[in-house]
Amino acid sequence: MITNQPSTTLSLKLRVAVAVMLLVSTLFLLIAISTNHWINANGRGDIEFAGLWNICNRFICEAHSGMIYAKVLLVCSFIFGFFGCAVVVLGLWLNVTNMKRAVGKMIIVIAILELAGMISATVFLLIVIFFKSVAYGLVLGWIAAVLSFVASCLSYYHSRIEPDEDLPTPLTKPEGENIDPPPPYMVDPLPGYVSEPPPSSIIVS
């Protein structure tokens, strides 16, 4: 019989692809938020390179108070991404196939947080600090955001070609219908059945 459902091999490949992209995205984001090498500055103000947390010269790095929104968004997206990785990998290991749409919604939230954080950080670093060139931290952050977005789209595509099965619902009684057996005293006797006469109360002397 020919159906529109994808083969088991294709379904497994799509689930593995989503898991791998989310894992790589989370790893790249961890590297990005941990390094100070997001941009190489042009030397103005004795700044050589800067990152999400510090601005550095050749001798020392000092913390800066800028990019507060980017910091909050990127740290939150990393926490959600770490949790999402655990859910996706556990579902893959346990062969849970009925969670594709939920995974897609979860990853799109992560992608939106990462994109918003990267846009905020990029605008601050490239406009406020007068960069000379970008460094690997900024590049890895953008790769992480794009991978999260692609993973969410892939999960939604998988849910379209292989829809999640609805959970079975318990049977309910039709409205107005009583399917419980009637009490014994309401059951009609079988045809031809003659009940015993009640005991006589007349005493013969």
Side-chain angles (χ1 to χ4, degrees), residues 100 136 173:
K100 297 177 286 294
Y136 68 90
K173 298 179 182 179

Side-chain angles (χ1 to χ4, degrees), residues 6 11 14-15 100 154-163:
S11 178
L14 290 172
R15 291 165 59 203
K100 297 177 286 294
L154 190 61
S155 186
Y156 269 110
Y157 168 74
H158 192 189
S159 67
R160 291 291 300 274
I161 64 175
E162 186 183 5

Side-chain angles (χ1 to χ4, degrees), residues 36-192:
N36 293 322
H37 293 272
W38 280 50
I39 63 166
N40 299 313
N42 59 3
R44 181 175 300 185
D46 199 26
I47 298 173
E48 291 197 352
F49 57 92
L52 192 64
W53 310 98
N54 298 311
I55 296 177
C56 306
N57 56 29
R58 68 180 65 182
F59 303 110
I60 191 172
C61 290
E62 295 182 354
H64 64 81
S65 59
M67 298 190 295
I68 184 63
Y69 297 113
K71 293 173 182 177
V72 172
L73 290 170
L74 292 176
V75 171
C76 288
S77 62
F78 171 74
I79 295 173
F80 294 156
F82 182 81
F83 174 75
C85 286
V87 171
V88 172
V89 172
L90 187 62
L92 187 63
W93 183 48
L94 297 177
N95 197 27
V96 179
T97 60
N98 206 34
M99 54 185 290
K100 297 177 286 294
R101 187 171 293 274
V103 168
K105 292 180 180 179
M106 175 182 63
I107 303 177
I108 195 62
V109 171
I110 297 171
I112 291 173
L113 291 176
E114 288 185 17
L115 288 170
M118 289 305 302
I119 291 172
S120 177
T122 302
V123 169
F124 178 87
L125 290 172
L126 302 189
I127 294 179
V128 176
I129 300 185
F130 302 101
F131 78 106
K132 179 180 180 182
S133 61
V134 298
Y136 68 90
L138 185 63
V139 175
L140 291 180
W142 276 107
I143 293 176
V146 172
L147 281 176
S148 293
F149 181 75
V150 174
S152 67
C153 294
L154 190 61
S155 186
Y156 269 110
Y157 168 74
H158 192 189
S159 67
R160 291 291 300 274
I161 64 175
E162 186 183 5
D164 293 335
E165 297 179 0
D166 295 331
L167 296 176
T169 55
L171 296 176
T172 57
K173 298 179 182 179
E175 185 177 354
E177 182 179 347
N178 183 11
I179 62 176
D180 292 332
Y185 62 84
M186 295 182 62
V187 178
D188 294 334
L190 296 174

Side-chain angles (χ1 to χ4, degrees), residues 181-204:
Y185 62 84
M186 295 182 62
V187 178
D188 294 334
L190 296 174
Y193 173 78
V194 178
S195 61
E196 296 180 359
S200 176
S201 59
I202 300 175
I203 299 177
V204 178

